[in-house]
Amino acid sequence: MQAMYPETGNNDCKIYVGNLPDDVRVRDIEDLFYKYGKIVDIDLHDRPRKGPPFSFVEFDDERDAEDAVRGRDGYDFDGYRIRVEFPRLSSKGGGSQQRRGGGRGPMPMRDRGGMRKGFQCLVSNLPPTGSWQDLKDHFREAGDVTFTDVFRDGTGIVEFARLEHMKRAVRDLDDSKFRSHEVYC
């Protein structure tokens, strides 16, 4: 089943989503991934010859695709633990290669306890309408943001891949004006 999005064919922005429930719809996939960024295409294979349904989701920005892989891989979707990863690219030798992070630096790792290992800073005084996407967009000017989250008490966490990016954020963005997606009329 093809989604209503035009196809662009950018593999840097495309992710594979596997082990989906049998009754999955394009709208379900969209609901799972819309918060990571603008979706360009959803290609749902809901009747494969063998195995569970799977999908390819293409984002407008490769950083959003990377965030979606980190945020949704292993996620419990309707009782199914879904697999989210970059698609395997076919090589000339006939084997397959896993896509790498595009030279953008190390992906954040998790230790055995499931804790994040990036360089984090706590953000305070966020507006009530601020989302994790807004926070991520605001801090991207300091470097590679690998994770963000916001909390109801007006605080948030921003995680960077590199220590120097976190230090730049603290130096340059401390006390900066944060704009949320809220529109005033």
Side-chain angles (χ1 to χ4, degrees), residues 2 45 49 59 61 86 89 109 153 165 172:
Q2 189 68 33
H45 298 261
R49 287 190 175 171
F59 291 90
D61 187 324
F86 287 99
L89 302 174
M109 305 293 281
D153 65 355
H165 295 169
D172 297 345

Side-chain angles (χ1 to χ4, degrees), residues 23-40:
D23 60 348
V24 69
R25 301 169 314 193
V26 170
R27 180 68 186 170
D28 299 328
I29 302 296
E30 189 174 10
D31 288 345
L32 269 175
F33 292 101
Y34 81 93
K35 74 179 199 170
Y36 293 100
K38 182 180 175 190
I39 296 173
V40 176

Side-chain angles (χ1 to χ4, degrees), residues 79-119:
Y80 290 77
R81 185 178 163 149
I82 62 172
R83 194 171 86 217
V84 181
E85 62 189 26
F86 287 99
R88 300 181 191 275
L89 302 174
S90 157
S91 66
K92 285 193 172 204
S96 66
Q97 293 179 317
Q98 181 92 19
R99 178 198 176 274
R100 296 278 185 232
R104 295 175 38 85
M107 300 278 267
M109 305 293 281
R110 293 181 187 260
D111 65 16
R112 288 189 177 153
M115 300 298 293
R116 302 191 74 85
K117 285 185 164 184
F119 300 95

Side-chain angles (χ1 to χ4, degrees), residues 1 8 43 65 68 86 99 167 185:
M1 173 181 284
T8 65
D43 183 14
F86 287 99
R99 178 198 176 274
K167 287 180 178 179
C185 298

